[in-house]
Amino acid sequence: PGRTEIRYARDLQLDDLKQANLILIGSLEADPWLELFQRQMNFVLQDDKLKGPLEIENRKPRTGELADYVYDESDPGHRGFAAVAFLPNLSGSGNVLIVQGFTLAGTQAAAEFVSSDRNFDALFNPMVGSRQGLPHFELLLKTMDVNGLASPPAILAYRIYR
C-alpha cells in the first residue's frame, strides 16, 4: 500500500509502462496508453464511433466464438460487454491489468469480477493448480446494464497465456 499511487492517464509517462505494475481502467478513448498494449491483446475494444460500430474484436476466434461482439446502445436486452487483460508490462519486468467496458457499469462489473475471490478463484484455480503465480490472461465478459448498474458478468471467452 505504501507504494500504491493513483494517477490520471495524462500523468503517466512511458517509463511507468515499462517499469511499474499497473492497473489501467477505461477505454482507449479515455486512456490512449492502451494502444501500446493492443498488439498483445486478442480481445480489443473498439470505441471510436467514427471508425465503425462499438465492438470487441476477437482477433483469433475459437470454435463457437464470434469474430466481433457488437455493442448496441439501443439494445432492448441491455447487453453489454467488457474485456479484462492481465499482460506483461512493456519491458516484461512487471504486469499490467487492463479493465475495459463500453459503459461505466460494464467496466465496474469487470473490475468487480477480477477483484472477487469467488469468481476469480473459480475460474483460475483449476487452470493454475499448484503453479506459483498467476498466468497472463484475457477475459471477454457479457453483462446486462440496467439503469446504470450492471449484472454480474458471464464469461463469453478467455485466453490463458503460459
Side-chain angles (χ1 to χ4, degrees):
R3 297 184 323 198
T4 302
E5 294 180 37
I6 298 174
R7 291 191 266 166
Y8 290 105
R10 68 178 176 253
D11 296 330
L12 289 176
Q13 298 178 16
L14 186 57
D15 196 50
D16 295 323
L17 302 168
K18 290 180 180 178
Q19 303 304 321
N21 291 313
L22 300 167
I23 300 173
L24 302 175
I25 300 176
S27 66
L28 184 61
E29 183 178 44
D31 187 350
W33 293 110
L34 291 169
E35 188 171 358
L36 297 173
F37 295 97
Q38 284 186 334
R39 64 179 171 73
Q40 299 178 57
M41 296 169 64
N42 183 65
F43 303 118
V44 179
L45 191 132
Q46 307 291 343
D47 65 341
D48 186 345
K49 291 182 182 179
L50 299 176
K51 292 183 179 178
L54 300 178
E55 66 182 10
I56 294 182
E57 175 189 359
N58 183 356
R59 290 182 169 165
K60 294 181 182 175
R62 292 180 177 164
T63 304
E65 296 177 356
L66 301 175
D68 299 295
Y69 291 84
V70 179
Y71 173 71
D72 181 0
E73 296 174 75
S74 61
D75 176 13
H78 304 283
R79 287 177 296 238
F81 300 102
V84 175
F86 180 65
L87 302 168
N89 67 10
L90 294 180
S91 70
S93 65
N95 301 296
V96 60
L97 178 65
I98 298 169
V99 181
Q100 302 178 290
F102 291 112
T103 64
L104 179 59
T107 302
Q108 183 177 358
E112 289 175 3
F113 182 89
V114 296
S115 62
S116 162
D117 290 342
R118 183 178 50 122
N119 293 332
F120 204 71
D121 289 349
L123 176 64
F124 283 100
N125 279 348
M127 294 178 208
V128 174
S130 62
R131 285 184 47 186
Q132 293 294 322
L134 184 64
H136 292 115
F137 66 87
E138 289 186 74
L139 302 173
L140 174 61
L141 304 169
K142 179 178 88 171
T143 66
M144 299 286 286
D145 295 357
V146 180
N147 294 328
L149 301 173
S151 66
I155 298 172
L156 289 176
Y158 65 90
R159 302 291 186 272
I160 304 295
Y161 306 112
R162 303 199 185 260

